[in-house]
Coordinates of all heavy atoms in Angstrom, one line a residue:
Chain V
Y259 N -59.1 -35.6 18.8 CA -59.3 -36.6 17.8 C -58.0 -37.4 17.5 O -58.1 -38.6 17.3 CB -59.8 -35.9 16.5 CG -60.0 -36.8 15.4 CD1 -61.1 -37.7 15.3 CD2 -59.0 -36.9 14.3 CE1 -61.3 -38.5 14.2 CE2 -59.2 -37.8 13.3 CZ -60.3 -38.6 13.2 OH -60.5 -39.4 12.1
L282 N -56.0 -28.5 7.6 CA -57.1 -27.5 7.9 C -56.6 -26.1 7.6 O -57.4 -25.3 7.0 CB -57.4 -27.6 9.4 CG -58.2 -28.8 9.9 CD1 -58.4 -28.8 11.4 CD2 -59.5 -28.9 9.2
N308 N -61.6 -11.0 17.0 CA -62.2 -9.7 16.7 C -63.3 -9.9 15.6 O -64.4 -9.4 15.8 CB -61.2 -8.8 16.1 CG -60.2 -8.3 17.2 OD1 -60.4 -8.5 18.4 ND2 -59.1 -7.8 16.8
G328 N -85.7 -23.8 12.9 CA -85.7 -24.7 11.8 C -84.3 -25.5 11.6 O -84.2 -26.4 10.8
R329 N -83.3 -25.1 12.4 CA -82.0 -25.6 12.2 C -81.8 -27.0 12.8 O -80.9 -27.8 12.5 CB -80.9 -24.7 12.7 CG -80.1 -24.0 11.7 CD -79.2 -23.0 12.3 NE -78.0 -23.6 12.8 CZ -77.1 -22.8 13.4 NH1 -77.2 -21.5 13.4 NH2 -76.0 -23.4 13.9
I337 N -97.3 -33.3 23.4 CA -96.8 -33.4 24.8 C -98.0 -33.5 25.7 O -98.9 -32.7 25.6 CB -96.0 -32.1 25.2 CG1 -94.8 -31.9 24.3 CG2 -95.5 -32.3 26.7 CD1 -94.0 -30.6 24.6
F408 N -110.7 -22.4 45.3 CA -111.6 -23.6 45.3 C -110.8 -24.9 45.3 O -111.1 -25.9 46.0 CB -112.5 -23.6 44.1 CG -113.6 -24.7 44.2 CD1 -114.6 -24.6 45.2 CD2 -113.6 -25.7 43.3 CE1 -115.5 -25.6 45.3 CE2 -114.6 -26.7 43.3 CZ -115.5 -26.7 44.3
Y411 N -109.3 -25.5 48.7 CA -110.4 -25.8 49.6 C -110.7 -27.3 49.5 O -110.8 -28.1 50.4 CB -111.6 -25.0 49.3 CG -112.9 -25.4 50.0 CD1 -113.0 -25.4 51.4 CD2 -114.0 -25.8 49.2 CE1 -114.2 -25.8 52.0 CE2 -115.2 -26.1 49.8 CZ -115.3 -26.2 51.2 OH -116.5 -26.5 51.8
G413 N -108.9 -29.8 48.2 CA -107.8 -30.7 48.6 C -107.4 -30.6 50.0 O -107.3 -31.7 50.7
V418 N -109.1 -34.1 52.5 CA -108.3 -34.6 53.7 C -109.3 -35.1 54.8 O -109.0 -36.1 55.4 CB -107.4 -33.5 54.2 CG1 -106.8 -33.9 55.5 CG2 -106.2 -33.2 53.2
D445 N -123.5 -40.5 33.5 CA -124.9 -40.4 33.2 C -125.8 -40.6 34.4 O -126.8 -41.4 34.4 CB -125.4 -41.4 32.1 CG -124.9 -40.9 30.8 OD1 -124.7 -39.6 30.6 OD2 -124.6 -41.7 29.9
S452 N -120.4 -34.3 40.3 CA -119.0 -34.5 40.4 C -118.3 -33.7 39.3 O -117.2 -33.1 39.5 CB -118.6 -35.9 40.4 OG -117.3 -36.1 39.9
V460 N -110.5 -27.8 38.1 CA -109.6 -27.7 37.0 C -109.4 -26.2 36.6 O -108.2 -25.8 36.4 CB -110.0 -28.5 35.8 CG1 -109.2 -28.2 34.6 CG2 -109.9 -30.0 36.1
D475 N -103.9 -27.3 24.7 CA -104.8 -27.4 23.6 C -106.0 -28.2 23.9 O -107.1 -27.8 23.5 CB -104.0 -27.9 22.3 CG -102.9 -27.0 21.9 OD1 -103.2 -25.8 21.7 OD2 -101.8 -27.4 21.8
V514 N -106.7 -60.2 31.7 CA -105.9 -60.0 30.5 C -104.6 -59.3 30.9 O -104.7 -58.3 31.6 CB -106.7 -59.2 29.4 CG1 -105.8 -59.0 28.2 CG2 -108.0 -59.9 29.0
S535 N -110.1 -59.6 36.4 CA -111.0 -60.8 36.2 C -112.4 -60.4 36.1 O -113.2 -61.0 35.4 CB -110.8 -61.7 37.4 OG -109.4 -62.0 37.7
Y615 N -97.5 -52.3 16.3 CA -97.5 -51.3 15.2 C -96.1 -51.1 14.6 O -95.9 -50.2 13.8 CB -98.0 -49.9 15.8 CG -99.4 -50.0 16.2 CD1 -99.8 -50.1 17.5 CD2 -100.4 -49.8 15.2 CE1 -101.1 -50.2 17.9 CE2 -101.7 -49.9 15.6 CZ -102.1 -50.1 16.9 OH -103.4 -50.1 17.3
L633 N -90.3 -33.9 50.4 CA -90.3 -32.8 51.4 C -89.1 -33.0 52.3 O -88.9 -34.1 52.8 CB -91.6 -32.9 52.2 CG -92.3 -31.6 52.6 CD1 -92.5 -30.7 51.4 CD2 -93.6 -32.0 53.2
S649 N -84.1 -38.1 55.9 CA -83.9 -36.7 55.6 C -85.0 -36.1 54.7 O -85.1 -34.9 54.6 CB -82.5 -36.6 54.9 OG -82.5 -37.3 53.7
A650 N -85.7 -37.0 54.1 CA -86.8 -36.5 53.2 C -88.1 -37.3 53.4 O -88.0 -38.5 53.7 CB -86.4 -36.6 51.7
V651 N -89.2 -36.7 53.2 CA -90.5 -37.3 53.4 C -91.3 -37.3 52.1 O -91.3 -36.3 51.4 CB -91.3 -36.6 54.5 CG1 -92.6 -37.3 54.8 CG2 -90.4 -36.5 55.7
M653 N -94.3 -36.8 49.9 CA -95.5 -36.0 50.0 C -96.8 -36.9 49.9 O -96.8 -37.9 49.3 CB -95.6 -34.9 49.0 CG -94.5 -33.9 49.2 SD -94.6 -32.4 48.2 CE -94.1 -33.0 46.6
G658 N -102.5 -34.6 53.4 CA -102.4 -33.1 53.4 C -100.9 -32.7 53.6 O -100.6 -31.6 54.0
Q705 N -85.0 -24.1 40.3 CA -84.9 -25.2 41.3 C -85.4 -26.5 40.8 O -84.9 -27.5 41.1 CB -85.8 -24.8 42.5 CG -85.3 -23.8 43.5 CD -86.3 -23.7 44.6 OE1 -86.6 -24.6 45.3 NE2 -86.7 -22.4 44.8
I719 N -88.8 -25.6 52.0 CA -89.4 -24.3 51.8 C -88.5 -23.1 52.2 O -88.4 -22.1 51.5 CB -90.8 -24.2 52.5 CG1 -91.5 -22.9 52.2 CG2 -90.7 -24.4 54.0 CD1 -92.0 -22.8 50.8
D720 N -87.8 -23.3 53.3 CA -87.0 -22.2 53.8 C -85.8 -21.9 52.8 O -85.5 -20.8 52.5 CB -86.5 -22.4 55.2 CG -87.6 -22.5 56.2 OD1 -88.6 -21.7 56.0 OD2 -87.6 -23.3 57.1
K721 N -85.2 -23.0 52.3 CA -84.1 -22.9 51.4 C -84.6 -22.3 50.1 O -83.9 -21.5 49.4 CB -83.4 -24.2 51.2 CG -82.5 -24.6 52.3 CD -81.9 -25.9 52.0 CE -81.1 -26.4 53.3 NZ -80.9 -27.8 53.3
F753 N -70.0 -2.9 17.1 CA -69.8 -4.4 16.8 C -68.6 -4.7 15.9 O -68.7 -5.6 15.1 CB -71.1 -5.0 16.3 CG -72.1 -5.1 17.3 CD1 -73.0 -4.0 17.6 CD2 -72.3 -6.3 18.1 CE1 -74.0 -4.1 18.6 CE2 -73.3 -6.4 19.1 CZ -74.1 -5.3 19.3

Side-chain angles (χ1 to χ4, degrees):
Chain V
Y259 177 78
L282 289 175
N308 290 345
R329 251 174 80 179
I337 302 175
F408 189 66
Y411 170 61
V418 168
D445 287 331
S452 158
V460 168
D475 294 308
V514 178
S535 310
Y615 296 98
L633 219 52
S649 63
V651 182
M653 293 193 281
Q705 283 182 57
I719 185 71
D720 296 325
K721 282 180 188 157
F753 288 87

